[in-house]
Amino acid sequence: MLNLRFDDRLETTLRQAGDDGIGLSAKWQQLVDILAQNSSDFDPAAVASGLQNVEQFMDMVPATVREQCVRALSGRLRSAPLLLLLSGDVPAVAAAAVSAARLNDHEWADIVPHMPTRARGFLRNRVDIGPMTLRALRSCSSADFALSLDRSVTETAVRAPQVVQIRDIVERIEKLRIERERHDAAEIQAGASVEPVVSLGKPIDEIGFETDEYGTISSVEGAPAGAIVGVDIAEPAFDQGPGPDAYGAAAFRQKMPLENARLRLCGAPAIAGDWRINAAPFFEPASGRFKGYRGILRRPNIAEVAHIPEGDTHDAENIQQLLHELRTPLGAIIGFSEIIEQQLFGPVIEEYRTIAASILHDARRLLSGLDDLSTAAKIETGTYVTEVGLTDCDWLSLRLADRLRELSDALHVTLNLVHAHPVRPFALDNQLAERLFSRLLSAVIIGCEPGEVLDGRFRTEPGLNAVNRFVLSLPKKLGDMDEDALFGSGPLDDSHDAPLLGLGFSLRLVRSLARNAGGDLRCYNQALIVSLPAVNDGRAGLMDEER
């Protein structure tokens, strides 16, 4: 019995109605998903017609929907004509398309000359391109790397190629596929001569740049445009790709100035490596609409180099593995201690319960120290991700008071937490906010003498980029120390409640967590000041009310 299977999904979708509203958006996404598979069963005429529909209705589908649709194709976009079409879309969609594509070396090389300059910049940031693609990119470098003094030229959006060009690309790629089937692998390998990556001369130390409202670098000065245009500063770098650290991405979300945020660039030796971002947002004068960032990229100085080098991530992985292996027996110790201390399996004499309670306390303290070490290692290697959320100041104050009451009572320290009215919510996750402030307060409480009073005050500094500040008075033992001594100090005592890794480590961890969330921790005038982004609700008239 002979079974015939005919794939008519593309023709069926083309015949479907839905040329307006939700129906149009759904049809566009369905066409993109089907065409991305590049099935050999599709009729080339139907493929060209489908690409024409994708190009025709592209501007009628919201950009966010187009971006989500293309991102969902990650690893499944195997159609060179469709990629060529999407590479002329807005930067977010073009970047997602180039990243999602899985073409072979011949297909990449064939479409590179037809791709917009910005899309070729995205492609140069990929680390898996082949020799023929490198040669094609090199042939376009004279145009891509030219610096233009006319900014309007670089800001002009490059539209997608016309349908006749797409039809030509479809036919050309089909011919290449047939020719490759007629030749053996040895002949193909002989024709693909490996050429070295283009060197852009001596290293560059400073680059002027500007982004669009999505955070994509759209123009540069002082460096080849094709090597940097298209890099996204709105999302943290993933794996070994280009991009900022979590602090830089968080600052972008809050439209806050970027001060020495870390950035990684890939590609040519002249621009590859670590950079620091100093930039400020700019807005349209008439409407106040956010337009992007302007600033400079600079190479870090010696004092700004991370303690764990980027190339030494294997050591950080070893640390994480070691911490994981320590947590396993520690969890068992905590579990058995709780069984004895709470008499879950039967009566236990008081002496054993006291010993179990002591072991339980020490094990939980050690587990907390391991969590801090793990977080510090992730921050140093740029793999720590700050969760976005909202934390109300009243809720946070009550949680901190309950959590620290036992410690403050044991040390006979009074903790007063007050806040001005109104105080805007913190623009960070509840769990992160509670962890940050509890680490800070517990470390400082332990540095107090019996009978001392700690005053902590929350307040909002309103404005376009509102900031919440928490000012914590330092106890006498710590008030006479300068910032370097305070952040570098070890354990203040050997008590069971003292920070396991020392006061200095706790403060440095809090500062790193704050910076990853777009804030900071500083010591000034015998007080610790935590700055964190506040929720910007856009209401007018709050400036005088919040003072």
Side-chain angles (χ1 to χ4, degrees), residues 11-20 22-28 30 57:
E11 290 82 354
T12 302
T13 303
L14 290 172
R15 290 194 299 266
Q16 288 177 354
D19 293 337
D20 57 355
I22 299 177
L24 174 63
S25 178
K27 181 177 180 180
W28 189 91
Q30 190 173 5
F57 300 125

Side-chain angles (χ1 to χ4, degrees), residues 395-416:
W395 176 88
L396 179 61
S397 299
L398 293 174
R399 289 284 294 179
L400 292 173
D402 292 338
R403 184 168 181 170
L404 299 171
R405 181 174 291 109
E406 183 178 351
L407 176 62
S408 58
D409 290 346
L411 298 177
H412 304 287
V413 175
T414 302
L415 176 63
N416 293 326

Side-chain angles (χ1 to χ4, degrees), residues 154-212:
T154 61
E155 291 180 347
T156 303
V158 182
R159 294 302 300 165
Q162 299 297 322
V163 177
V164 63
Q165 295 175 326
I166 294 173
R167 193 180 298 273
D168 292 342
I169 292 294
V170 172
E171 296 175 354
R172 187 180 309 155
I173 291 175
E174 181 65 18
K175 291 179 181 178
L176 284 174
R177 186 180 66 82
I178 297 174
E179 290 176 1
R180 285 198 301 273
E181 291 177 352
R182 295 175 181 174
H183 294 78
D184 56 28
E187 292 177 344
I188 296 176
Q189 183 67 24
S193 58
V194 178
E195 297 192 11
V197 179
V198 180
S199 175
L200 302 182
K202 63 181 182 179
I204 300 170
D205 295 326
E206 186 173 298
I207 303 171
F209 76 96
E210 181 176 312
T211 77
D212 58 18

Side-chain angles (χ1 to χ4, degrees), residues 266-383:
C266 305
I271 57 97
D274 290 333
W275 294 80
R276 294 295 182 269
I277 313 175
N278 287 279
F282 66 97
F283 302 84
E284 192 174 81
S287 63
R289 179 173 173 265
F290 171 69
K291 298 290 290 181
Y293 274 75
R294 291 193 184 111
I296 63 169
L297 305 177
R298 62 173 180 83
R299 293 286 188 180
N301 55 48
I302 296 177
E304 293 174 320
V305 176
H307 295 293
I308 300 179
E310 183 178 342
D312 203 14
T313 55
H314 185 64
D315 289 345
E317 293 176 359
N318 289 339
I319 293 175
Q320 294 290 353
Q321 180 63 28
L322 175 62
L323 295 176
H324 174 73
E325 293 176 358
L326 289 174
R327 285 193 184 98
T328 301
L330 194 58
I333 293 173
I334 291 175
F336 283 115
S337 299
E338 289 178 338
I339 290 174
I340 297 173
E341 196 267 339
Q342 299 177 21
Q343 304 181 89
L344 297 179
F345 289 173
V348 179
I349 63 174
E350 185 66 26
E351 181 181 358
Y352 284 176
R353 291 181 59 195
T354 302
I355 295 174
S358 178
I359 293 174
L360 181 61
H361 180 277
D362 291 342
R364 285 175 174 170
R365 180 166 167 259
L366 180 58
L367 183 61
S368 177
L370 295 180
D371 290 339
D372 288 347
L373 277 175
S374 177
T375 301
K378 290 179 181 179
I379 292 174
E380 284 293 334
T381 54
T383 58

Side-chain angles (χ1 to χ4, degrees), residues 14 23 27-28 35 64 82 110 113 160 174 231 261 284 319 364 397 446 482 491 519 522 537 541-542:
L14 290 172
K27 181 177 180 180
W28 189 91
L35 290 170
T64 54
L82 178 62
D110 195 61
E174 181 65 18
V231 174
E284 192 174 81
I319 293 175
R364 285 175 174 170
S397 299
I446 294 169
D482 59 20
R522 302 299 301 269
D537 55 11
L542 283 177

